[in-house]
Amino acid sequence: MLAFRRLLDAIEAEGSAALVTLARVRGSSPREAGARMVVRPSGGFHGTIGGGALEWVALEAARAALTAGRAAALRRSLALGPELAQCCGGRVDWRIEIFDARDVEDLRALASAERDGVGSLTARLGADGRVERRPDRERPGGRLTESLPEAETWTEPLGESARAVYLFGAGHVGRALALALAPLPFVVRWIDSRREAFPARAPGNVALIHALEPAAELAVAPDGALIVVMTHSHALDLDIVAAALSADRFGYVGLIGSATKRARFLRQMRDAGLTEAMLAKLVCPIGVPGIAGKDPAVIAASTAAHLLMAAEGGEPGRSA
């Protein structure tokens, strides 16, 4: 979830919003430290800190804080078993912060960093008891460091450690995949040489990139980025895939197409000098093996699952 983007949307629509963060976790808990939930005055919410009684009580506390208005951050510690009758057995601390129009400028900076894939924030409690945050572009993403009540500063993950996806192609499947990735922990750069191919609007975690030379966008992609290629041109597909495999630094290089297309591309890239080790990393066809549907939404769902596997360090199935 892009929490700071959600806060901005809520303030624009309803004037204020609450951010609930699991500040500390000891023992077993349904979510990890750093999990966030955005709560609106109307009662709507985005994200989760684990569901069940914990989330219900947190929602009630957030609504009460919204009624009281913008003030110092509130912190509470709960034992999940004795106090909430949850079987997890651990203890969690949550922090509730209220934001309104006075915070929009700061939230825009955080939302911009969130969308850019910046991994971490450096945070501290200000003199007024409110949390002050700044993007830490030098530190990779990760888990929340111990955010103790007496801590002067701590590190927070930004965007729940969202992984960078470079999606090439704004055709029917590209559109479906951009939508499928919207609620997932990815930051997407959606690239096409045809400006008119993009929709008028895109999900909050998707940046629309009009590039006359799409393959050149790989030069600024971070190491470990997940590359998905599905353009309108087989020649362009080949250029992008060959550049991605040659770079030998990405976590996934997927190409839409059949086994026949894969064989043809491998032959051409082999002739161009790519090594067998590079070629072995090509994922084509894309998607979870066994899902044979050709509808764009089906391909998108299957590919999104493939990308989740790759982001978690799993080995997506590859066609020989």
Side-chain angles (χ1 to χ4, degrees):
M1 178 185 67
L2 299 179
F4 297 103
R5 178 70 259 172
R6 291 291 193 183
L7 285 168
L8 283 170
D9 291 343
I11 291 169
E12 181 180 353
E14 301 186 28
S16 63
L19 177 66
V20 183
T21 304
L22 287 190
R24 191 184 185 199
V25 171
R26 284 148 289 172
S28 179
S29 167
R31 286 297 305 272
E32 70 285 354
R36 298 186 180 104
M37 180 168 61
V38 173
V39 184
R40 292 182 172 222
S42 61
F45 64 95
H46 310 278
T48 178
I49 59 169
L54 170 65
E55 189 157 289
W56 180 256
V57 172
L59 283 168
E60 289 299 307
R63 292 178 185 126
L66 282 164
T67 299
R70 184 179 184 275
L74 303 173
R75 184 168 179 136
R76 181 178 176 186
S77 179
L78 297 103
L80 298 178
E83 296 183 64
L84 298 176
Q86 290 196 198
C87 297
C88 299
R91 175 175 285 275
V92 301
D93 293 13
W94 75 45
R95 182 185 294 110
I96 297 177
E97 304 165 67
I98 304 302
F99 299 87
D100 61 21
R102 287 167 285 185
D103 303 299
V104 165
E105 185 175 346
D106 289 339
L107 290 173
R108 281 178 179 156
L110 294 172
S112 176
E114 195 174 46
R115 183 166 178 168
D116 290 344
V118 175
S120 298
L121 300 171
T122 296
R124 71 181 187 93
L125 278 180
D128 59 357
R130 295 182 58 78
V131 179
E132 300 173 355
R133 297 178 174 89
R134 62 175 178 81
D136 190 343
R137 296 179 182 272
E138 301 302 319
R139 186 192 301 269
R143 295 185 180 275
L144 180 78
T145 60
E146 282 291 294
S147 177
L148 303 176
E150 65 274 14
E152 293 185 3
T153 64
W154 63 90
T155 298
E156 294 182 0
L158 184 58
E160 297 189 2
S161 301
R163 191 73 172 270
V165 173
Y166 277 56
L167 171 58
F168 292 87
H172 294 305
V173 180
R175 288 188 176 217
L177 183 55
L179 291 174
L181 297 178
L184 300 177
F186 296 112
V187 175
V188 182
R189 287 179 68 85
W190 191 9
I191 302 157
D192 202 293
S193 59
R194 307 162 299 163
R195 191 188 301 275
E196 68 279 5
F198 289 120
R201 299 185 62 124
N205 65 330
V206 176
L208 304 181
I209 309 298
H210 173 237
L212 295 179
E213 297 183 9
E217 293 296 311
L218 293 169
V220 297
D223 291 348
L226 311 178
I227 313 300
V228 187
V229 183
M230 48 181 67
T231 79
H232 62 289
S233 162
H234 279 207
L236 185 54
D237 283 351
L238 179 60
D239 286 345
I240 298 167
V241 167
L245 293 174
S246 296
D248 198 23
R249 61 185 185 87
F250 298 121
Y252 174 99
V253 180
L255 170 68
I256 196 169
S258 63
T260 300
K261 181 177 180 181
R262 174 188 173 89
R264 182 175 302 149
F265 273 40
L266 289 179
R267 184 173 61 251
Q268 291 176 285
M269 289 188 290
R270 192 175 286 116
D271 291 343
L274 272 69
T275 68
E276 293 302 320
M278 293 174 180
L279 297 178
K281 295 179 180 179
L282 176 64
V283 179
C284 179
I286 54 176
V288 176
I291 299 178
K294 300 299 184 184
D295 184 87
V298 173
I299 298 172
S302 180
T303 302
H306 232 194
L307 292 173
L308 285 169
M309 292 169 63
E312 291 293 330
E315 184 74 7
R318 293 185 168 92
S319 297

